[in-house]
Amino acid sequence: AQSVTQPDIHITVSEGASLELRCNYSYGATPYLFWYVQSPGQGLQLLLKYFSGDTLVQGIKGFEAEFKRSQSSFNLRKPSVHWSDAAEYFCAVGSPGTASKLTFGTGTRLQVTL
Amino acid sequence: GAVVSQHPSRVICKSGTSVKIECRSLDFQATTMFWYRQFPKQSLMLMATSNEGSKATYEQGVEKDKFLINHASLTLSTLTVTSAHPEDSSFYICSANSGSGTTDTQYFGPGTRLTVL
C-alpha cells in the first residue's frame, strides 16, 4: 500500500527566507507525486506534479520540487517565501493509471513571520 | 482551466435532516470524481470514488447508506448526507479527475463546511 509521510507538522519561516518542506513516500514503483496547498477554509490548489522525466519540477507561485528515487522523497522548495504563502501544504502520492486515488500526507502548516 | 465548483460552500442543518452537496467540473469532463472528508487540522480522508454512470466505490469504514453518491453526468457528482448527526459535521471536499491517458491529475473543489446542530 502506498503511504506518504510529512515529518514536519508546523514550520515557521521569516518572509524572504528559503523554504523546504519534506515529503517521503512509500510505493512499489515510480509513483505520481503531487504537492497541494490549502488556505484556511478552502479547497486544495495544485502546486506541481511529477509523473516522469526531469526530476526537478517547477510549479506555480515560484515553488519547485525534486524527486529523489534513492531517498523516496519529493521535497518542496521555494527560494524566497512571501507572507501570502502561509497555508497548509499537502504532499500526495498516486498510482499510475486512470482514475488514480491519492494518498495524502498529514500536511505541514507553514507560518510566515514578517 | 480545470475548475471544480462545489455548492453550497456552507450549510447548517438540524440533526436528522439530509443534506445534498454538488460537485461540478466547469470546463472539463470528469469520468471520475472523488469525495473527501477533512476534520479540523487533519489531512483528507478519501470517502468514495464516483464513476459516471455506475455505483460509487466506498472506502472501508464509510457507510454507503449514510453517504449517498450519484454521478449522473460527466460534470456533476452529488453527495447526500442522509439523516445527518452532529458527528457528520466536517469539511467535505470533492475532486474531479482530469485524466488524459495515464497522466491523471485531480482538481479540487473549494469544499463545503457542514454543521449539524
Side-chain angles (χ1 to χ4, degrees), chain B residues 3 35 48 92 98 112:
Chain B
V3 178
W35 286 96
Y92 292 87
S98 173
T112 296

Side-chain angles (χ1 to χ4, degrees), chain B:
Chain B
V3 178
V4 177
S5 70
Q6 274 184 249
H7 178 79
S9 58
R10 286 179 176 271
V11 57
I12 301 173
C13 68
K14 293 182 179 180
S15 185
T17 60
S18 294
V19 175
K20 179 185 285 188
I21 302 170
E22 293 186 348
C23 177
R24 293 181 185 272
S25 57
L26 298 185
D27 51 2
F28 65 99
Q29 293 184 330
T31 54
T32 304
M33 290 183 172
F34 301 86
W35 286 96
Y36 294 84
R37 183 173 181 176
Q38 185 180 31
F39 290 102
K41 299 185 179 181
Q42 294 188 27
S43 189
L44 282 73
M45 182 192 78
L46 179 65
M47 299 174 65
T49 302
S50 167
N51 293 294
E52 186 266 337
S54 63
K55 291 183 179 180
T57 302
Y58 291 82
E59 295 300 300
Q60 191 172 10
V62 177
E63 300 175 60
K64 61 180 181 181
D65 295 330
K66 173 78 171 173
F67 300 99
L68 301 179
I69 291 173
N70 183 274
H71 194 157
S73 76
L74 288 173
T75 59
L76 173 65
S77 176
T78 60
L79 168 68
T80 301
V81 183
T82 62
S83 187
H85 288 91
E87 58 266 29
D88 298 323
S89 298
S90 190
F91 194 54
Y92 292 87
I93 305 176
C94 74
S95 70
N97 194 55
S98 173
S100 176
T102 58
T103 54
D104 299 348
T105 298
Q106 285 186 36
Y107 293 92
F108 286 79
T112 296
R113 172 78 56 196
L114 170 63
T115 303
V116 185
L117 302 176

Side-chain angles (χ1 to χ4, degrees), chain A residues 51-87:
Chain A
F51 291 154
S52 65
D54 193 346
T55 56
L56 184 61
V57 181
Q58 301 297 320
I60 62 171
K61 304 184 178 186
F63 285 94
E64 66 177 26
E66 186 171 12
F67 170 59
K68 292 186 176 180
R69 184 190 304 275
S70 61
Q71 299 177 21
S72 296
S73 69
F74 189 57
N75 294 347
L76 182 71
R77 300 194 294 252
K78 186 169 184 178
S80 178
V81 170
H82 189 262
W83 64 268
S84 61
D85 293 324

Side-chain angles (χ1 to χ4, degrees), chain A residues 37-59:
Chain A
V37 61
Q38 183 181 34
S39 297
Q42 301 295 316
L44 276 68
Q45 181 182 23
L46 179 67
L47 286 176
L48 48 77
K49 60 188 177 185
Y50 172 79
F51 291 154
S52 65
D54 193 346
T55 56
L56 184 61
V57 181
Q58 301 297 320

